[in-house]
Each structure stands twice: as structure tokens, then as C-alpha cells.
Amino acid sequence: IYFLWALAIKRMKGHIAGITTVILSILIAIIVYGMPVKLALLTTGFGAMYGIFPISWIIITAVFLYKITVKTGQFDIIRSSVVTITEDRRLQALLIAFSFGAFLEGAAGFGTPVAISAALLVGLGFEPLYAAGLALIANTAPVAFGAIGVPIIVAANTTGIDVMAISQMVGRQLPFLSFFVPFWLIFIMSGWKGAKEVMPAILVSGGSFALAQYFTSNFIGPELPDITSALFSLFATALFLKVWKPKNIFRFSNEEKGRLLNPSVAAGKETYTTRQIVKAWSSFLLLTGFIIIWGIPSIKDVLSLSNIQFNIPGLHEAVIKTTPIVTQDTPYAATFKFDWLAAAGTAILFAALVSKFVVGMKFGDWIKTFGETVKELIFPLITIASVLGLAYVYNYSGMSATLGLALSKTGHLFPFFAPILGWLGVFLTGSDTSANALFGNLQKITANQIGVDPILTVAANSSGGVTGKMISPQSIAVATASTGLIGKEGDLFRFTLKHSVMFVIIVGIMTYIQAYFLTWMIP
């Protein structure tokens, strides 16, 4: 409640809201929950370390890669190449925020899709707050399957439920939301009238994504739904726009006759050769290639040999998890894994290094640009470290378990609240994977107690979690960092909050109907 007040009402800067909230959480953990001071402080530090690596590492390298394209003039060509497909801002949002962003979510996860797609939209001429907000909302569709299916795999490991069953159930919930998200993006931008003008493109974008998501999750598994859906949607929409154009071209109010009033970010119509366009896009093509290579299990295993892993002294297994729903007390591990070579951020850094040679950037300028990137991101990095500290204090003190147990007492209505539990988990941790690890077993046990198939509620934890991603402090910090909105976290939070609440209510109603009226949809 304090964090919501600090960001949405008081409009504090993100790092101030984050630091004061984590201080408040430490006090509650110590005074109310009886957590020893030493453990509370160690837990906060442990979470902050995770916020710095791998989360902040991804943001630094992603923004750095984007800045390379801007510094070398390649982004002007990228902008022009997108404009040749469509000058309509609505359709650009579908291609970049929805389809390309979903691909990055499936390949890398964490903050990569929001950081890259929001920065691309700003470069195209979108107002930064709009770009950040649209990127966050668009990221709803792919989050449940995340990077190579990790959230679903974690849910299966946590609950003992077959991974394919959870994948199938999520694939019978999320496609409905995925089909709706493109329409909602356009509706936010241009209202009902504007959405009607481009309805054919919306149907192609959302329909192709939803169909691919359903078939991949139900017949192949949880690893590929995001990548296949995103690529299918991206190519289907781009090809469709070659043969169909809207009657009216939508531009923002600060644009005049197709050009921004600010000539420094004008969407030019210069003609470039195919070679020039490929060269301009090379940084993002390399990004895609390196992320795919880093995600191949055999290569990931080799890269992981360089991992540095250690237990946090004084915290590792010093906290015991014991609640009314768990039959056996278990020590809570506190192990920090510094997978410096296998991390997604390192894959992006390699893409940035190779890009230097492709676009012809001097090594001195490359190093200077990296230093500028780190300097610009100092406050967002503080925000991320503090909110991850907050998430870990919530988990280790028992506050998260308290909230979960409270929602599990809703009885017959629990299927409606099951997605809200996932939404809460992602808001607290910034990760659908973490939310599934946090509340997956609670979902299973509560479902068994009320006579509902646990496959549904465990899947709903993941499906509902996607709707909390757009308001997670971690995601907000990533989006503001990549769009130059540092200090405007409260404005962005206000922008996304109502959409997040609406989406989770939709998933809650859907889950309730499936629990009691459409049980044949459960695997």
C-alpha cells in the first residue's frame, strides 16, 4: 500500500520510493514478524545482489546495444525501414511492442523485451511515456512461458504436476488474452474509431499469435510458444501490411504531415539499399542470434561451467519454511549464482561487441558509450536493487506466505483469486518464474482442499502473473531506464495500473468459469 501511494499518488522518484519501501518492509519483518535484524539485512542485501546481477546487467547491455545504433547513425535507417512497411504508429506498435517484444521475451526474458522494444519505439518517434507503457502492456502476452519455458518448468518442479499438463492449461487460457492485447494496445492509442480502422491488422497480429501459442503449448511443450508465436505474428503482420493499408495514417499530435516537429527524430523517407538496411538491423539480428545460441541447452551447459556459486553466510538455510499447508519444515536456501558467461546480459554484450565491427564504431567510442550508459542508469539500478531487496524480504520473512494463505481462504471463489495470487507474486518479485516458485504449491494444495483440479489453479498462477508484469517495480524501472524517463516511474505506474487490474480480472473470471462450467478444458 505504501509503495502504491509513493509511486501513484505521491509520485516519488523510483529510487526514493524503492529505498523507503524496502526500509519499511525491513521494519515490518523485524517488528511484526520477529525476524532477527541480521537476517533481515542479509536478506535485503541478497535480493539487491540479484537485482544487480543478472537483472541490471541485462538492462545495461540492452540499452548499450541500442545506443550503439543511435551513435553510429544506423537507427535512422532502422526507422526508415519500419516506415516503409507502415507509417501508421498503431501498426508500428503491433510489429515492435507486441510481436518483436514477445520474441525477445521467449528468447531472453527478464527485462530484455521491455528495454529493447521501448527504446525502439522512442527511436521511431513515440513519446517516451507512451512507448514505455505500450511495451509493458504488450509484454503481457508472452510472459507466462518466459525465456525458453522456464516459468512453466519451475511451476512443474515446485508442484510435482506434469510440465506438459501445465503448459497445455496455460495454452488454453493465455491465447484468449493474447488475442485481445493487440486490440487493447490500439484502443489505448486511438480509441474505438482508430481500432476499427486497423481491425484487419489487429486480427492478423493477435489471431496468428494466439493460434501459434495454443498449438505450440498444447502439442510441443512450454519451451517454444513465445518464439513461434512471435515469429508467426511478426511475419504474418508484415506480409499482410504489404497488401493492405489503412485508409487513414495515424500519427501523434506532435507530428505534422508525417514528420515530427523535432527534426532530430524525424521519420525520414530516404531510400536505402537492402545491404544498408541489413547492416542497420545487424545489431538486433546479432542480439537475436546470440540469445538463441545462449539458450541452446548443450551450449548453456558449457557456458555454465564458468559459474561462480556460493551460499550467503549467515542466511543460507537459517530461515525455516513452515506453514499450515506444508507438511514438512524445509530450510530456505540462500545461494547466489554469478553465471557471468551464461547470463542473457553477456549474450547481449557479445552482440554489442560484434556490432562494433559491423557498423564500424571505434573501440574508444564503444567504451565511452558503455560508460555513458552505466552513468545514465545509476538511479534505475538503485531502484531495481531496492525492489529486489523488498521481494526477498517479503519471501524470507513470511509476508508473501501470509498474503497467499489469506487468499487461499476464499473457498469456492478461490479459482477467481488464483490468478490474483500470481498477479501479486509477479508484482512483488518482478518474475513469473519467481511467482510460480512462491505460490505454486499453495495453488495446488488449496485446489485439492476445495475440490478443483490443481492443474487449473497452478496454470492460473502463471496466466494471472503475466498481468502483474506491467506494474512490477522491476519492470517499471527497466522501462523508464530504456526510454529516458528516469524519475517518472510514478507516471508510468499510473499509466499501466488500470490495464493490469482489468486484465487480471478477465483471467480470474476465465479461471472461475473453467473450474466449474468448462471443466473439459482442463487437461
Side-chain angles (χ1 to χ4, degrees):
I1 290 170
Y2 170 80
F3 194 81
L4 293 173
W5 172 82
L7 275 185
I9 299 172
K10 193 66 176 175
R11 298 193 181 189
M12 287 184 190
K13 291 183 178 180
H15 62 284
I16 296 174
I19 290 170
T20 53
T21 305
V22 80
I23 290 171
L24 181 61
S25 71
I26 291 170
L27 292 174
I28 294 171
I30 294 168
I31 297 168
V32 180
Y33 281 77
M35 190 177 195
V37 174
K38 179 184 174 182
L39 290 184
L41 296 176
L42 283 172
T43 301
T44 307
F46 181 33
M49 287 167 62
Y50 184 76
I52 294 167
F53 189 93
I55 307 297
S56 294
W57 179 229
I58 289 173
I59 299 160
I60 291 169
T61 53
V63 174
F64 174 48
L65 184 75
Y66 166 69
K67 286 176 77 72
I68 288 173
T69 67
V70 174
K71 292 266 188 180
T72 56
Q74 299 302 313
F75 201 87
D76 293 333
I77 304 174
I78 291 174
R79 185 186 303 116
S80 180
S81 68
V82 173
V83 171
T84 58
I85 298 176
T86 178
E87 292 183 58
D88 194 295
R89 297 303 194 191
R90 297 167 296 189
L91 304 179
Q92 291 173 355
L94 288 184
L95 289 168
I96 293 172
F98 183 69
S99 300
F100 186 58
F103 173 80
L104 292 175
E105 178 67 44
F110 292 101
T112 311
V114 171
I116 293 292
S117 57
L120 280 169
L121 290 178
V122 170
L124 284 170
F126 281 65
E127 193 270 326
L129 183 66
Y130 237 57
L134 293 174
L136 285 168
I137 295 168
N139 193 229
T140 299
V143 165
F145 294 100
I148 322 297
V150 171
I152 305 298
I153 294 168
V154 167
N157 292 340
T158 304
T159 61
I161 296 174
D162 179 59
V163 67
M164 193 64 191
I166 300 174
S167 176
Q168 289 173 329
M169 190 65 244
V170 174
R172 297 173 194 186
Q173 290 184 319
L174 209 55
F176 295 105
L177 199 60
S178 300
F179 183 69
F180 176 71
V181 167
F183 164 78
W184 196 248
L185 285 177
I186 305 305
F187 180 77
I188 292 168
M189 293 177 69
S190 59
W192 172 243
K193 183 180 178 183
K196 280 200 301 183
E197 289 178 352
V198 292
M199 191 60 74
I202 291 172
L203 293 174
V204 170
S205 177
S208 58
F209 191 100
L211 284 172
Q213 192 176 53
Y214 167 75
F215 280 106
T216 311
S217 60
N218 274 269
F219 300 106
I220 298 176
E223 292 86 3
L224 293 175
D226 285 349
I227 291 174
T228 55
S229 305
L231 291 177
F232 194 39
S233 175
L234 188 63
F235 287 118
T237 308
L239 290 172
F240 179 71
L241 294 177
K242 291 288 185 184
V243 298
W244 179 89
K245 305 289 181 188
K247 289 182 180 179
N248 300 307
I249 300 297
F250 175 83
R251 300 183 179 96
F252 295 117
S253 58
N254 65 333
E255 295 180 83
E256 189 177 76
K257 295 181 180 179
R259 286 184 175 270
L260 291 174
L261 297 177
N262 180 356
S264 66
V265 287
K269 287 188 178 180
E270 294 83 352
T271 302
Y272 296 101
T273 64
T274 303
R275 184 176 179 179
Q276 286 176 307
I277 292 171
V278 171
K279 180 182 176 182
W281 276 98
S282 63
S283 294
F284 297 103
L285 294 173
L286 287 164
L287 164 74
T288 302
F290 274 103
I291 284 175
I292 290 173
I293 292 168
W294 251 242
I296 296 171
S298 56
I299 293 177
K300 200 172 185 69
D301 289 341
V302 174
L303 295 173
S304 296
L305 294 174
S306 64
N307 289 357
I308 299 170
Q309 188 168 308
F310 58 90
N311 298 330
I312 305 298
L315 180 62
H316 180 66
E317 297 189 347
V319 175
I320 305 298
K321 289 188 285 186
T322 170
T323 72
I325 60 162
V326 178
T327 55
Q328 184 177 347
D329 294 352
T330 52
Y332 208 157
T335 304
F336 183 73
K337 187 167 71 171
F338 184 59
D339 51 349
W340 62 277
L341 190 55
T346 306
I348 301 170
L349 182 66
F350 272 88
L353 180 61
V354 178
S355 295
K356 181 192 87 67
F357 297 102
V358 175
V359 301
M361 191 179 199
K362 292 179 180 178
F363 188 70
D365 292 337
W366 190 81
I367 293 291
K368 183 181 177 182
T369 302
F370 184 83
E372 289 174 358
T373 304
V374 174
K375 188 177 178 181
E376 288 174 9
L377 295 177
I378 288 296
F379 287 121
L381 300 187
I382 293 171
T383 305
I384 291 165
S386 62
V387 297
L388 263 296
L390 168 69
Y392 275 60
V393 170
Y394 252 83
N395 294 349
Y396 280 78
S397 68
M399 283 190 262
S400 295
T402 300
L403 291 170
L405 285 166
L407 281 175
S408 72
K409 300 299 181 184
T410 52
H412 181 80
L413 293 174
F414 181 71
F416 173 78
F417 287 100
I420 295 176
L421 201 54
W423 174 82
L424 186 65
V426 174
F427 171 74
L428 292 173
T429 65
S431 162
D432 209 37
T433 302
S434 300
N436 286 343
L438 190 61
F439 292 136
N441 208 44
L442 178 76
Q443 296 274 16
K444 174 187 174 182
I445 293 169
T446 306
N448 284 328
Q449 287 176 343
I450 63 171
V452 171
D453 194 320
I455 293 173
L456 175 64
T457 56
V458 172
N461 196 79
S462 205
S463 299
V466 306
T467 64
K469 189 79 169 180
M470 69 182 82
I471 59 167
S472 164
Q474 177 184 312
S475 300
I476 296 284
V478 170
T480 53
S482 62
T483 54
L485 285 172
I486 298 163
K488 300 285 186 182
E489 291 84 359
D491 293 340
L492 183 56
F493 183 81
R494 289 163 66 93
F495 182 94
T496 56
L497 180 60
K498 56 183 177 291
H499 307 294
S500 177
V501 172
M502 182 191 77
F503 280 10
V504 75
I505 290 173
I506 290 172
V507 179
I509 293 170
M510 186 193 313
T511 305
Y512 184 84
I513 292 172
Q514 289 174 328
Y516 298 115
F517 303 102
L518 300 177
T519 53
W520 54 267
M521 294 184 72
I522 304 172

